[in-house]
Amino acid sequence: MGWGPSAVKAVVRLGVMATTDKEDDVFVDSITLFVGLLCGCIVVGHFLENTRWLNESVTSLIIGLCTGGTILFLSGGRSSRILEFDEELFFIYLLPPIIFNAGFQVKRKRFFRNIITIMLFGAVGTLISFGIISFGAKELFGKLNIGDLELQDYLAIGAIFSATDSVCTLQVLNQDDTPFIYSVVFGEGVVNDATSIVLFNAIQKFDLSQVDSEIALQFVGNFLTLFVTSTLLGVVVGLLSAYIIKKLYFGRHSTDREVSLMMLMAYLSYVMAELFDMSGILTVFFCGIVMSHYTWHNVTQKSRVTTRHAFATISFISETFIFLYVGMDALDIEKWMFVSDSPGKSAGASAILLGLLMLGRAAFVFPLSFLSNCTKKLESDRIEFKQQVTIWWAGLMRGAVSMALAYNQFARRGHTRLPGNAIMITSTITIVLFSTMVFGLLTKPLITWLLPSSGHGSNAGSPKSFSRPLLEQEPGLDAVMSTTNIHRPSSLRMMFETPANTVHYYWRKFDNSFMRPAFGGRGFVPFIPGSPDGSPTERNMP
Amino acid sequence: MGWGPSAVKAVVRLGVMATTDKEDDVFVDSITLFVGLLCGCIVVGHFLENTRWLNESVTSLIIGLCTGGTILFLSGGRSSRILEFDEELFFIYLLPPIIFNAGFQVKRKRFFRNIITIMLFGAVGTLISFGIISFGAKELFGKLNIGDLELQDYLAIGAIFSATDSVCTLQVLNQDDTPFIYSVVFGEGVVNDATSIVLFNAIQKFDLSQVDSEIALQFVGNFLTLFVTSTLLGVVVGLLSAYIIKKLYFGRHSTDREVSLMMLMAYLSYVMAELFDMSGILTVFFCGIVMSHYTWHNVTQKSRVTTRHAFATISFISETFIFLYVGMDALDIEKWMFVSDSPGKSAGASAILLGLLMLGRAAFVFPLSFLSNCTKKLESDRIEFKQQVTIWWAGLMRGAVSMALAYNQFARRGHTRLPGNAIMITSTITIVLFSTMVFGLLTKPLITWLLPSSGHGSNAGSPKSFSRPLLEQEPGLDAVMSTTNIHRPSSLRMMFETPANTVHYYWRKFDNSFMRPAFGGRGFVPFIPGSPDGSPTERNMP
């Protein structure tokens, strides 16, 4: 039971020895191929940056598919088993940096201002979608006669296909032109990831053979506890990092140590959450938010630049890696073999699920938007119909989270050979490929049409990653917002109209009086040589 | 045969599921423990920074030993098998970033000015040391009667104990006070790593049962070919990265993409070398040098800061990881069990090897220094006796490379149960621990005494990593050196006296006329918005 890669069974040896051992060669082979392809994706993605249709995810997916096809062809159609989708790799190594970076780079003010809408869509909406997909699948799959799936399987299907992948849409949306839509789609994506994974785990854990109201209540209780404790753990680890760097490094900052500590503590928060049976995704997301609010201000200017870009880079590589990986794995012949007897069933299941997920999403986006609009007095605060369609569309894509959950449910017990399981795996792959490529390709034109001010907004000069448009800090804008929008509520009516702003006002007060003096943060940083005001602006950097 | 960690057999599942599976828990457990300890090492290392005796490697080693001891105690002396030294992890994931960073951050002018001395010590010296240790072990081990070791084993022992670990000394030496010693010790360390690993692989590959002059010649030929081709591959990949970034990214730079591409191509050079049966260490080292000479100048200012610090950080984490790992593994009870019957033999073997490695090093440092001094006309250019002692001392420590090679030779065929193999493994651990801790602790006082101008030079403000003192670029000093020291040779005699400078002169000419216009580099960079002169100075950054 070695540590991580130390348990890797494929033994690798150095250079000249590799020739003596077939297995080694294949292993170094795979790494070389993969790293080379990643470089290729980045270069090709850069070329296609200004294309109207393509984006980096689709590019990686296509390159992955082509490579998988080539391997399949070279091996004479026998196998493309050089790579295999691996949920451990995904959940332990690739997902944490992406989610952490999302938290680290998110524009916190915008995120928290829209937190109610975000939670509504991300948590409540995901539950509605989960219910509809589970119920629909249970009703409709019976007619297709695909293997014997149990109640737990149907519930898992609901959770699997409720996990959206809004990367494609975020790459197209322009944060500055449409800040509201952007922050809702972005925030919903993160909360949705966490909700669907927590839901999926809860389903696997609970004995669902006898469902009664007590178990249902217990389920809801667990769910909420998990949400709260995971968030708290992330906040605590984030604050701890801020405190350590503020106290220990005072007067003798060290860029490499600071960056190392931030990286390691972020990852620590994730694995701790996993160890304590919490949701690592929520934990690491909030750890990222806290780190960027406190810790980031306590480090040197060089550390600030390095962390901003190093975290974004690692997240960018992980994302490209995932799409490439999914693309390469999709063609693996073994799983398709079992389905080839009944291609109609697999296609039918995919079509049904695709229909259900579109329906499931529509069933909460429009009603919840209506609900949200009812509480808003100002016309400008309401969610327009075109914006509702955009939000609906943004959540139609399915990605790596769905893949990983599907593998966990239907492939881990080693019986893809059961027809029902094989069909579910191939359907998941079909839906991920179809939604990412077809819906993904339609996203740019659709959004250009729906929101004319956005869509064209491809800032050349930064990779269009999940977090790309969040990268540049805008201290100027931030400052303006904090002075104009956050004012003391003068009446009770106003407090109801702008509850988020009121909460924000008291939070600011608390933050300035207690949190920042203890943990650092903008304006409360120990003196850093060369940075006279200790502010996070990067104006000194060309 | 999955990809890398995808082949990890210890199955991990998410959060709430983990409780159902014992194996999962142990896996997430180990990661959490390890990441937590890494954070601890960094914090404790920072506290002890100004101590006269301790340094970060020793701290990590001690923390690792303590943790291993605790685990051993908690498991009731039954095992500390939560972690196991793994040479794949070491050679595929941990070593490349360290060596790449060494190349990336090395002060190239100083390195190339002393290249003859460095190659003399690093390549020729390692071969001499290898010969003495192999021969001595073969002669002396017979009297101890430890298992049956073959000729190949003795040669492997020579290679294993010729691999030095100069991190401890480099942490103490001050690059600005003693630039010559620093660059020789540093350069020798890298060339020595490469030489001993190449040597080790060559020994494992060759059939040594019948040694004749033809085989010996072939051996030398292979060795030289490997050196040249590996270096070339590194240079080619480095130049390719410079070319891609210069050509493709012109006018629309993207920090995250540039950093990703540099990271991935550096790693690509390493795995390609491994795939083509070359020395990945040499390749990635020269790739680092080329990247910092060309590629680094073609990217944005933010990318420059990010790469400098991100690479140093990853290298720093890898180093700490290795020492922690070695410390934790050292107490593993299983290997000591087989030796416990004959503790005298293991201690004897360790003592003999320790003596041999000190002798083997003395046998080349002093003669080669004498040889080097003979070619120098100026008194100031010669290597003083105290400097020779410092160089000798710097190479007495043995580290992770020795461990990895020893595991490869004596543990991979799964028979640590053979007494000879078990004794070699425990002797290696003993020597690594002893030399790192005892010699390591003596290094600071010794060097303070030998070279009074150095030793106290602990720049607070940067972690004392392998590459720490190389981190800050000194454009001012560089510029001065290039104008004063590099002059056209006016006579043949002068050319012989300063061959390195002459080579350097023609190289500069070639570089400026052909290389830089094609691949970028200082002064030949496409215009970068906000950086008026495109120079690599970081003067705008506090």
Side-chain angles (χ1 to χ4, degrees):
Chain A
M1 201 145 322
W3 186 92
S6 74
V8 173
K9 287 294 182 299
V11 180
V12 192
R13 257 148 250 138
L14 275 170
V16 282
M17 286 140 51
T19 42
T20 59
D21 199 333
K22 190 74 183 65
E23 218 175 47
D24 298 359
D25 241 7
V26 175
F27 178 67
V28 179
D29 233 347
S30 310
I31 298 187
T32 312
L33 179 68
F34 224 101
V35 177
L37 285 174
L38 277 175
C39 295
C41 287
I42 296 173
V43 172
V44 173
H46 185 77
F47 269 125
L48 299 175
E49 193 173 50
N50 293 324
T51 317
R52 193 182 155 82
W53 304 87
L54 282 173
N55 59 44
E56 221 132 44
S57 330
V58 178
T59 311
S60 308
L61 209 53
I62 291 174
I63 290 181
L65 275 173
C66 294
T67 317
T70 313
I71 294 170
L72 199 66
F73 179 77
L74 288 179
S75 71
R78 206 162 30 78
S79 92
S80 72
R81 263 263 176 261
I82 208 169
L83 296 153
E84 195 176 341
F85 192 84
D86 186 293
E87 31 143 357
E88 289 92 63
L89 172 67
F90 177 72
F91 280 116
I92 294 287
Y93 301 108
L94 298 175
L95 196 58
I98 297 177
I99 304 289
F100 173 74
N101 187 55
F104 193 74
Q105 317 268 9
V106 74
K107 298 206 167 176
R108 294 181 300 280
K109 285 226 181 64
R110 284 182 188 167
F111 179 81
F112 285 111
R113 181 160 311 144
N114 299 314
I115 188 91
I116 295 168
T117 318
I118 288 172
M119 291 304 290
L120 212 60
F121 284 122
V124 180
T126 304
L127 290 176
I128 294 175
S129 164
F130 155 73
I132 289 177
I133 296 174
S134 297
F135 181 78
K138 190 163 169 16
E139 292 299 303
L140 295 171
F141 276 16
K143 290 166 192 162
L144 273 177
N145 184 31
I146 16 168
D148 35 23
L149 297 172
E150 292 160 20
L151 174 62
Q152 204 224 29
D153 289 323
Y154 287 113
L155 293 177
I157 289 172
I160 290 166
F161 292 102
S162 296
T164 65
D165 185 342
S166 33
V167 176
C168 285
T169 313
L170 288 175
Q171 287 176 343
V172 177
L173 283 175
N174 185 314
Q175 178 161 238
D176 294 319
D177 291 345
T178 51
F180 171 74
I181 284 285
Y182 188 91
S183 87
V184 168
V185 168
F186 173 84
E188 194 218 316
V190 176
V191 179
N192 167 282
D193 272 352
T195 310
S196 50
I197 293 172
V198 169
L199 201 59
F200 181 81
N201 290 331
I203 290 165
Q204 290 214 325
K205 198 188 177 190
F206 270 83
D207 178 18
L208 293 156
S209 51
Q210 65 263 29
V211 186
D212 59 23
S213 61
E214 196 188 328
I215 286 182
L217 259 179
Q218 205 185 329
F219 186 95
V220 173
N222 268 22
F223 190 86
L224 290 178
T225 315
L226 219 63
F227 244 90
V228 174
T229 51
S230 302
T231 306
L232 271 182
L233 180 66
V235 171
V236 167
V237 175
L239 287 178
L240 190 67
S241 78
Y243 188 80
I244 288 177
I245 290 182
K246 181 167 179 268
K247 284 291 162 194
L248 301 189
Y249 286 62
F250 180 80
R252 39 180 191 142
H253 284 274
S254 142
T255 296
D256 298 349
R257 268 213 202 98
E258 287 171 348
V259 178
S260 306
L261 211 54
M262 283 175 77
M263 252 182 209
L264 289 171
M265 288 196 75
Y267 192 60
L268 186 65
S269 78
Y270 185 84
V271 287
M272 273 174 77
E274 294 300 312
L275 188 66
F276 299 151
D277 299 348
M278 301 181 196
S279 161
I281 288 191
L282 271 179
T283 305
V284 83
F285 178 73
F286 279 97
C287 183
I289 289 184
V290 172
M291 277 201 179
S292 93
H293 191 64
Y294 297 107
T295 320
W296 191 74
H297 294 272
N298 299 347
V299 298
T300 64
Q301 186 67 27
K302 284 185 183 176
S303 298
R304 292 180 194 175
V305 177
T306 306
T307 47
R308 278 266 170 260
H309 291 287
F311 293 155
T313 302
I314 296 172
S315 163
F316 173 65
I317 294 178
S318 297
E319 247 171 53
T320 314
F321 190 105
I322 289 173
F323 282 105
L324 193 58
Y325 201 44
V326 169
M328 287 185 87
D329 186 67
L331 282 182
D332 174 54
I333 203 79
E334 199 186 272
K335 9 181 192 308
W336 293 101
M337 226 111 90
F338 292 94
V339 193
S340 57
D341 305 332
S342 48
K345 278 187 195 170
S346 179
S350 307
I352 288 173
L353 286 169
L354 210 60
L356 283 174
L357 69 87
M358 293 174 86
L359 181 73
R361 196 158 172 83
F364 77 82
V365 169
F366 300 106
L368 290 180
S369 299
F370 177 76
L371 215 72
S372 169
N373 284 348
C374 286
T375 65
K376 300 278 167 69
K377 286 276 184 293
L378 287 170
E379 187 68 39
S380 62
D381 279 351
R382 296 191 186 163
I383 309 173
E384 289 171 42
F385 183 69
K386 280 187 175 179
Q387 291 181 322
Q388 296 178 17
V389 175
T390 309
I391 294 173
W392 173 72
W393 182 267
L396 290 186
M397 273 67 87
R398 293 297 172 270
V401 173
S402 296
M403 288 278 283
L405 294 180
Y407 270 75
N408 189 307
Q409 174 72 14
F410 296 108
R412 62 184 260 235
R413 278 159 289 175
H415 48 105
T416 342
R417 282 147 212 267
L418 287 182
N421 289 2
I423 287 178
M424 284 322 301
I425 293 284
T426 53
S427 299
T428 311
I429 294 173
T430 311
I431 288 175
V432 168
L433 290 185
F434 183 85
S435 66
T436 307
M437 294 183 55
V438 178
F439 292 170
L441 287 176
L442 292 174
T443 302
K444 239 180 197 174
L446 185 81
I447 290 187
T448 318
W449 177 66
L450 284 173
L451 311 166
S453 64
S454 192
H456 60 276
S458 56
N459 320 15
S462 188
K464 310 180 121 194
S465 148
F466 193 22
S467 51
R468 190 260 310 159
L470 298 164
L471 245 162
E472 285 84 35
Q473 289 285 311
E474 306 167 18
L477 183 63
D478 263 12
V480 169
M481 294 203 305
S482 61
T483 51
T484 55
N485 286 9
I486 318 304
H487 38 73
R488 186 162 203 136
S490 55
S491 73
L492 203 66
R493 182 170 168 247
M494 207 172 141
M495 199 165 149
F496 275 109
E497 271 173 21
T498 55
N501 283 354
T502 312
V503 171
H504 194 186
Y505 168 81
Y506 285 109
W507 160 246
R508 278 294 286 258
K509 235 181 136 175
F510 174 70
D511 196 25
N512 286 330
S513 322
F514 298 100
M515 300 298 281
R516 287 185 175 172
F519 299 106
R522 195 181 325 167
F524 288 85
V525 194
F527 176 74
I528 294 167
S531 164
D533 54 353
S535 84
T537 55
E538 292 175 15
R539 62 167 189 281
N540 286 335
M541 289 200 44
Chain B
M1 204 142 322
W3 185 92
S6 73
V8 173
K9 287 295 183 298
V11 180
V12 191
R13 256 148 251 137
L14 275 172
V16 282
M17 287 139 51
T19 42
T20 59
D21 199 334
K22 189 78 184 62
E23 217 175 48
D24 298 0
D25 239 7
V26 175
F27 177 68
V28 179
D29 233 346
S30 311
I31 298 187
T32 311
L33 179 69
F34 224 101
V35 177
L37 286 174
L38 278 174
C39 294
C41 287
I42 296 174
V43 172
V44 174
H46 184 77
F47 269 124
L48 299 174
E49 192 173 51
N50 292 325
T51 317
R52 193 183 154 82
W53 304 88
L54 282 173
N55 59 43
E56 220 132 44
S57 330
V58 179
T59 311
S60 308
L61 209 54
I62 291 173
I63 291 181
L65 275 173
C66 295
T67 317
T70 313
I71 294 170
L72 199 66
F73 179 76
L74 288 179
S75 71
R78 207 162 29 79
S79 92
S80 71
R81 263 266 177 258
I82 206 169
L83 293 155
E84 195 177 342
F85 192 85
D86 186 292
E87 30 144 356
E88 289 92 62
L89 171 68
F90 177 73
F91 280 117
I92 294 287
Y93 302 108
L94 298 175
L95 196 58
I98 297 177
I99 304 290
F100 173 74
N101 186 54
F104 192 74
Q105 317 267 9
V106 73
K107 297 207 166 174
R108 296 180 301 279
K109 287 227 178 64
R110 285 182 187 167
F111 179 82
F112 284 111
R113 181 161 312 144
N114 299 315
I115 188 91
I116 295 168
T117 318
I118 287 171
M119 291 305 290
L120 212 59
F121 284 122
V124 181
T126 304
L127 290 177
I128 294 174
S129 164
F130 156 74
I132 290 176
I133 295 174
S134 297
F135 181 77
K138 190 163 170 16
E139 292 300 303
L140 296 171
F141 276 16
K143 290 165 192 160
L144 273 176
N145 183 31
I146 15 169
D148 36 22
L149 297 173
E150 293 161 18
L151 174 63
Q152 204 223 27
D153 289 322
Y154 288 113
L155 293 176
I157 289 172
I160 289 166
F161 291 102
S162 297
T164 66
D165 186 342
S166 33
V167 177
C168 285
T169 314
L170 288 176
Q171 287 177 343
V172 176
L173 284 175
N174 185 315
Q175 176 161 240
D176 293 319
D177 291 345
T178 52
F180 171 75
I181 284 284
Y182 187 92
S183 88
V184 168
V185 168
F186 173 84
E188 194 219 315
V190 175
V191 179
N192 166 283
D193 272 352
T195 310
S196 49
I197 293 173
V198 169
L199 200 59
F200 181 81
N201 289 331
I203 289 163
Q204 290 215 324
K205 197 187 177 188
F206 270 83
D207 178 19
L208 293 156
S209 50
Q210 65 263 28
V211 186
D212 57 24
S213 59
E214 196 187 328
I215 285 182
L217 259 178
Q218 206 184 329
F219 187 94
V220 173
N222 267 22
F223 191 84
L224 290 178
T225 315
L226 220 61
F227 245 89
V228 174
T229 51
S230 302
T231 306
L232 271 183
L233 180 66
V235 171
V236 167
V237 175
L239 287 178
L240 189 67
S241 77
Y243 188 79
I244 288 177
I245 290 182
K246 180 165 180 269
K247 285 290 161 193
L248 301 189
Y249 286 60
F250 180 79
R252 39 182 192 140
H253 285 274
S254 140
T255 297
D256 299 350
R257 268 213 200 97
E258 286 170 349
V259 178
S260 306
L261 210 55
M262 283 174 78
M263 254 183 206
L264 289 171
M265 288 196 75
Y267 192 61
L268 185 65
S269 78
Y270 185 84
V271 286
M272 272 174 76
E274 293 299 312
L275 188 66
F276 298 152
D277 300 348
M278 302 181 195
S279 161
I281 288 190
L282 272 179
T283 305
V284 83
F285 179 73
F286 280 96
C287 183
I289 289 183
V290 172
M291 275 200 179
S292 94
H293 190 65
Y294 297 108
T295 320
W296 191 74
H297 294 272
N298 299 347
V299 299
T300 63
Q301 185 67 25
K302 285 185 182 177
S303 298
R304 291 179 194 175
V305 177
T306 305
T307 47
R308 278 265 170 261
H309 292 286
F311 293 156
T313 301
I314 296 173
S315 163
F316 173 66
I317 293 178
S318 297
E319 248 171 51
T320 314
F321 191 105
I322 288 173
F323 282 104
L324 192 60
Y325 201 44
V326 170
M328 287 186 87
D329 186 66
L331 282 181
D332 174 53
I333 202 79
E334 198 186 271
K335 8 181 194 307
W336 294 101
M337 227 110 91
F338 292 94
V339 193
S340 57
D341 306 333
S342 49
K345 278 186 194 171
S346 179
S350 306
I352 289 173
L353 286 169
L354 210 58
L356 283 174
L357 70 86
M358 291 173 87
L359 181 73
R361 195 158 173 84
F364 77 82
V365 169
F366 301 105
L368 290 181
S369 299
F370 178 76
L371 214 73
S372 169
N373 284 348
C374 288
T375 65
K376 301 276 167 70
K377 286 276 182 293
L378 288 169
E379 188 67 39
S380 63
D381 279 350
R382 296 190 186 162
I383 309 172
E384 287 171 44
F385 182 70
K386 279 187 175 179
Q387 291 181 321
Q388 295 178 18
V389 175
T390 310
I391 294 174
W392 173 72
W393 182 268
L396 290 187
M397 273 66 88
R398 294 296 174 271
V401 173
S402 297
M403 288 278 283
L405 294 181
Y407 269 75
N408 189 307
Q409 175 72 14
F410 296 108
R412 61 185 261 235
R413 278 160 290 177
H415 48 105
T416 341
R417 283 147 211 268
L418 287 182
N421 289 2
I423 287 177
M424 285 320 303
I425 293 283
T426 52
S427 300
T428 311
I429 294 173
T430 311
I431 289 175
V432 168
L433 290 185
F434 183 86
S435 66
T436 307
M437 294 183 57
V438 179
F439 292 170
L441 287 176
L442 292 173
T443 301
K444 240 181 198 175
L446 185 81
I447 289 186
T448 317
W449 177 66
L450 283 173
L451 310 167
S453 63
S454 193
H456 59 277
S458 57
N459 320 15
S462 187
K464 311 181 118 193
S465 147
F466 195 21
S467 50
R468 190 260 310 158
L470 297 163
L471 244 162
E472 285 83 35
Q473 288 285 311
E474 306 167 19
L477 184 63
D478 262 13
V480 169
M481 294 203 306
S482 62
T483 51
T484 55
N485 286 11
I486 318 305
H487 39 73
R488 186 161 203 136
S490 55
S491 73
L492 204 65
R493 183 171 167 247
M494 207 173 140
M495 198 165 152
F496 276 108
E497 272 173 21
T498 54
N501 284 355
T502 314
V503 171
H504 194 184
Y505 169 81
Y506 285 109
W507 160 246
R508 279 296 286 258
K509 235 182 136 173
F510 175 71
D511 196 24
N512 286 330
S513 323
F514 298 100
M515 299 298 280
R516 287 185 174 172
F519 298 105
R522 194 182 324 168
F524 288 84
V525 193
F527 176 73
I528 295 168
S531 164
D533 54 353
S535 84
T537 55
E538 293 176 12
R539 63 169 188 281
N540 286 335
M541 289 199 44

